[in-house]
Amino acid sequence: MSDWPLLSIVTFLPLVGVAFILMIRGEPGVVERNSRNVALLTSSATFVMSLFLWFGFASGTADFQFVEKTDWLPGTGISYHMGVDGISVLFVLLSTFLTPICVLASWEAIHNRVKEYMIAFLILETMMVGMFCSLDFMLFYIFFEGVLVPMFILIGVWGGARRIYAAFKFFLYTLAGSVLMLVALLTMFMNAGTTDIPELLKYSFAPGLQTWLFLAMFASFAVKVPMWPVHTWLPDAHVEAPTAASVILAGVLLKMGAYGFLRFSVPMLPQATADFTPMVYALSVIAVIYTSLVALVQEDMKKLIAYSSVAHMGFVTIGIFTMTTQGVTGALFQMLSHGVVAGALFLCVGVIYDRLHTREIARYGGLMHCMPKYATVFMLFMMASVGLPGTSGFVGELLVVLGTFQVNTLVAALMSTGLVLGACYMLFLYRRVVFGKLEKEDLKDLPDMSGREVLMFAPLVVLVLWMGLYPMPFLDMMSASVDNLIANFETARAAAEASVPAALALN
Amino acid sequence: MTVLIVFLPLLGALLAGLFGRFLGRIGSQVLTCGLLIASAVMSTLLLYKVGFGSGPFTVTLLDWIQVGTFNVCWALKVDTLTAVMLFTVTVISAVVHVYSIGYMHHDPSVPRFMAYLSLFTFFMLMLVTADNLVQMFFGWEGVGLSSYLLIGFWSDRPSASAAAIKAFVVNRVGDFGFLLGIAGIFLTFDSAHLDTIFAAAPRMADQSLRLFGLELPLLTTLCLLLFVGAMGKSAQIGLHVWLPDAMEGPTPVSALIHAATMVTAGVFMVARMSPLFELSQTALSVVAFVGATTALFAATVGCVQNDIKRVIAYSTCSQLGYMFFALGVGAYQAAIFHLMTHAFFKAMLFLGAGSVIHAMSDEQDMRRMGGIWKNIKVTYAVMWIGSLSLAGLPVFAGYYSKDLILEAAWGAHSAIGQYAFWMGAIAAVLTAFYSWRLLFLTFHGAPRADEKTMAHVHESPLVMLIPLLVLAVGAVFAGMAGYESFVGEGRAAFWKQAIAVVGDDPIAAAHHVDGFINILPVGLALFGIAVAFVLYMAQPEVPGRLAAAMPRLHALLLNKWYFDEAYDRVFVRPAFAVGRILWKVGDVGIIDRLGPDGVSSLAYLAARRIARLQSGYVYHYAFAMIIGLAVFVTFYVVGMEG
């Protein structure tokens, strides 16, 4: 097994599914059914293949594993270089895990252009997985931008009423960042003479240059996270996106920014990272409190959860920039947990949206009486979102708070208010949707979750509890890489500080 | 055995919760009650074994979180303190489970209710057996979740779901302190493991901690952060507002969670952390002050409430205050002793009140009761026993524990001890007063309910009465039985290392106070009863005139010192208003207008003006790319030159 190009298989297997779907001909009904089946089969097969990563991953080392390297543009130093470490491997798994669930979620919700929808989804999977596996900045950039195209199409074609506006806004924001990142990429290439990530990790950029590179990349990553104040694309994109696209958006796309920080900004630009840490703290704390308060007054379910995502990602960015073992591990864990929990919450919204075709909170109420199974599942994910111990949400938040408290108690305290506010908006949402009398006529005979929906939620439920009660397998996979990241960061910082007096002496 | 004690309730909860439909009402009732009774029997054996035999032990189950030096396991730590809590929790819980069979008879979702009760019990047991702070936090928030689910059990009532949210959120405010406390403890001790912390604590006594840019004494700060958590869970003044509203839950829930067990978690936590608290006199004084103030404050409010359950709720709040000031003067054993006796008599009062409510066709307002004692004699007798015990009259359980707490406060010979003693003494009068006010209003005088209700008044079925009688035995004898081991001569052998006391032993001091202090509490209680008799039996028109004579005071008490109104104005409404402003003005008005919408309209204008060659995104992309490149190159060149 070990000599198989496993990462390439996982990355490009969905494209094989795309080829099959393209070949489907016949009656519209048959085409739709077959497209769905092929998409589900392909994404499930991809997930199964990615499980070899889970079992084959050696957690004792921080080195890149499953490495593949082939010349791509000879002479330029740009190569097709794939590999994963403890920081990226779990995101590959998250992507392959969520995709089949998303296909299931789209089973009945998508009626028109099913074939094209499934194709877009599978391409999206390739792009996501490829991005997390890339060990070449150029390759990364292609996948990173490539993700946006199918997502843009998914929102723009299968979205809600204001889908054009949302897609446009989404595109404008990410465009601004992407351009700057391309510039950073070129600058790095001109400086270091390579785009190979392991090489770049060893290269140390001049302090002045680091600042510019950091800002250029920050523009791109901050939009993806999203950080305040460049978050306003997210609520609109979520509201208009079809359920499955929301799941991927919250589950995987939001992690791209934070992943970028961990893969590029922090290890390659340690000096600038240290300089900009206060700014990141400030923006993140604002994000936590600001968006929590905004979430409290939302009338649209998806908007509410979208704003809560911004708040949760605030925890992540703080955790990363603490550069403590607990903080960074917590941030990584929180990213995974949020991927599962926010994804599940969007699926929860999707379940009732499919029945009533509205996301307006006020249109619901008393669902506990007609949909008890749904009420239970929704309760679990709500509690996970609130960070109740025993669910995955708690482990990440606890670790981030522990890490942050070591470096800045004020940030830790302000951030923790998010836990109180989070409880407010989530419980308030749940109360309005699920509790209360079942008074509205059109709600009275809503059917409870179908077998397909139960099947869709079951793996998510298991994962949320597993990650909450016994997170060790996940933490073990991360630990060596996180330790290595922090050790390198501290070495670089120490070296930089030692060289400052030397530079002064020269002057 | 410990593992079974803790996990049998979880098993019951899972089976009843997931397979309730197959088990049916009877099936889930029998199952959960059976498992709980088994758990209670084993806890009793365990208490005997740990308290009077072998020492403490720890059962490690599984790794939980291990990141860097941060390492916590799932583990069950059993010492005398835990064993006492296990015994109290499982016994009361088993009794309440059985009682619920009768009380929830008419309810359509019995399996769900039983599952929640068992789930609560499991979380509570995890809380008291925790060997590290994170597992304690797991139980701590878990009981909060169950409390939320059970308060909102009748979710059709808007008031119930509002109360449920309030309980969860106010507890979260406390947990915010607890969580920061855990973070601070980890920063200080590099561990969240209790034994490690306790071993290292004395070395940290004089250290300081930089918090929010201030230089603060380390252990005091940590203790106070933890105590914020305790205040939330145990409804101490400031964070007490959720407890009275929590009475929206079914009465068995009020008895189990909001009287006997969950609300005492804060008391347990401070006692558990005694090796830390003992090293900070300031923290202990704060605990005593908050406890004493709550004891009196809640008692004053309890005197004028008309809802039978709310009177008892405020009484609980007040009694928790007693426990806290006992902790604050260092009399941990007395606090835990009172915790146990209180669990029995308060659970009994609540279940008795439930029996009254059941008899009165779900009427809770005492102004529409009266004259029913002849119809429900067993309940009547039980309520008397509970009240006698609560007021602390001799022979009854409350006498032994409450008396000792007041003596310990007096014996502390400190300013804070004196404050606590006098607050507690006045509260003792009020306690007796409101208890007998409740008895007289509910059972005596002319019936004030309508005839239909009065015709229906009936004694509860045996399945409800037997639990009451079990608790009655506890409410009478728990004090006598436990006195010697908990706080008497045998206390050192009983507690072993479970509780740390640095310096003088406050319990020993309590045993040596003057004779006058010894009999004062009983005298005060009798005085309170006499006043209640005069006002509500002999001269029933006086209370109305008193209220009319002092309208402001009456309104202040009736509205619970306006805490809810103040919080509503200061926190709730501003939060919503600010949220709306940030959304409409911040996001939509400023960020979007300057950001994407502005850019897009600019780009649109620019595109139309500059050239009509092309339209669409590709063009914009290229355009912005060039601009970005130009800007960056300019900065880069300028930067290199400078």
Side-chain angles (χ1 to χ4, degrees), chain A residues 322-405:
Chain A
T322 59
M323 285 318 270
T324 54
T325 315
Q326 287 81 26
V328 176
T329 313
L332 272 172
F333 200 88
Q334 171 81 343
M335 282 155 78
L336 287 176
S337 157
H338 178 262
V340 177
V341 174
L345 283 173
F346 279 116
L347 286 177
C348 284
V349 175
V351 166
I352 48 179
Y353 181 79
D354 287 349
R355 286 164 174 63
L356 214 58
H357 300 287
T358 176
R359 296 174 307 264
E360 198 188 332
I361 297 171
R363 288 280 288 108
Y364 293 92
L367 291 186
M368 179 180 244
H369 297 280
C370 54
M371 304 175 70
K373 272 189 254 173
Y374 174 74
T376 313
V377 169
F378 193 6
M379 168 68 75
L380 176 77
F381 291 116
M382 174 189 74
M383 283 299 157
S385 169
V386 168
L388 193 86
T391 63
S392 60
F394 172 69
V395 179
E397 281 176 6
L398 172 79
L399 289 172
V400 171
V401 170
L402 289 177
T404 313
F405 202 86

Side-chain angles (χ1 to χ4, degrees), chain A residues 238-435:
Chain A
H238 267 313
V239 165
E240 300 307 329
T243 302
S246 277
V247 174
I248 292 294
L249 197 55
V252 183
L253 257 69
L254 297 196
K255 312 303 172 299
M256 287 163 49
Y259 174 73
F261 284 134
L262 279 169
R263 181 59 81 225
F264 298 96
S265 306
V266 170
M268 292 180 192
L269 314 167
Q271 189 61 39
T273 300
D275 294 342
F276 283 106
T277 298
M279 179 185 83
V280 174
Y281 284 167
L283 293 180
S284 307
V285 165
I286 293 175
V288 169
I289 297 172
Y290 181 113
T291 51
S292 297
L293 287 170
V294 174
L296 199 55
V297 295
Q298 293 306 310
E299 287 134 18
D300 181 306
M301 282 188 261
K302 273 185 146 184
K303 247 186 178 162
L304 194 153
I305 299 169
Y307 275 109
S308 86
S309 292
V310 182
H312 281 120
M313 292 309 288
F315 271 78
V316 170
T317 42
I318 292 176
I320 290 173
F321 281 83
T322 59
M323 285 318 270
T324 54
T325 315
Q326 287 81 26
V328 176
T329 313
L332 272 172
F333 200 88
Q334 171 81 343
M335 282 155 78
L336 287 176
S337 157
H338 178 262
V340 177
V341 174
L345 283 173
F346 279 116
L347 286 177
C348 284
V349 175
V351 166
I352 48 179
Y353 181 79
D354 287 349
R355 286 164 174 63
L356 214 58
H357 300 287
T358 176
R359 296 174 307 264
E360 198 188 332
I361 297 171
R363 288 280 288 108
Y364 293 92
L367 291 186
M368 179 180 244
H369 297 280
C370 54
M371 304 175 70
K373 272 189 254 173
Y374 174 74
T376 313
V377 169
F378 193 6
M379 168 68 75
L380 176 77
F381 291 116
M382 174 189 74
M383 283 299 157
S385 169
V386 168
L388 193 86
T391 63
S392 60
F394 172 69
V395 179
E397 281 176 6
L398 172 79
L399 289 172
V400 171
V401 170
L402 289 177
T404 313
F405 202 86
Q406 293 167 35
V407 292
N408 193 325
T409 49
L410 184 62
V411 171
L414 288 174
M415 174 177 78
S416 304
T417 56
L419 299 178
V420 180
L421 292 170
C424 296
Y425 61 71
M426 285 312 290
L427 296 186
F428 191 44
L429 168 71
Y430 191 81
R431 175 191 169 184
R432 287 178 290 169
V433 174
V434 177
F435 284 166

Side-chain angles (χ1 to χ4, degrees), chain A residues 165 169 232 290 307 369 468-469, chain B residues 64 74 156 212 587 592 597:
Chain A
Y165 173 75
K169 201 169 175 181
T232 60
Y290 181 113
Y307 275 109
H369 297 280
L469 296 172
Chain B
W64 185 14
W74 292 107
D156 284 1
F212 313 152
D587 269 17
D592 275 358
D597 295 355

Side-chain angles (χ1 to χ4, degrees), chain B residues 128-140:
Chain B
V128 299
T129 53
D131 93 319
N132 61 69
L133 285 168
V134 184
Q135 188 182 329
M136 197 190 283
F137 195 71
F138 168 82
W140 191 267

Side-chain angles (χ1 to χ4, degrees), chain B residues 430 451 481:
Chain B
L430 298 177
E451 281 176 19

Side-chain angles (χ1 to χ4, degrees), chain A residues 77 96 112 152 224 243 353 393 428 443 475:
Chain A
T96 57
N112 60 328
F152 179 70
K224 290 289 186 324
T243 302
Y353 181 79
F428 191 44
L443 297 180
L475 296 172

Side-chain angles (χ1 to χ4, degrees), chain A residues 356 363-367 370 438 440-446:
Chain A
L356 214 58
R363 288 280 288 108
Y364 293 92
L367 291 186
C370 54
L438 189 61
K440 301 183 177 79
E441 279 307 320
D442 49 355
L443 297 180
K444 283 196 176 141
D445 39 49
L446 286 189

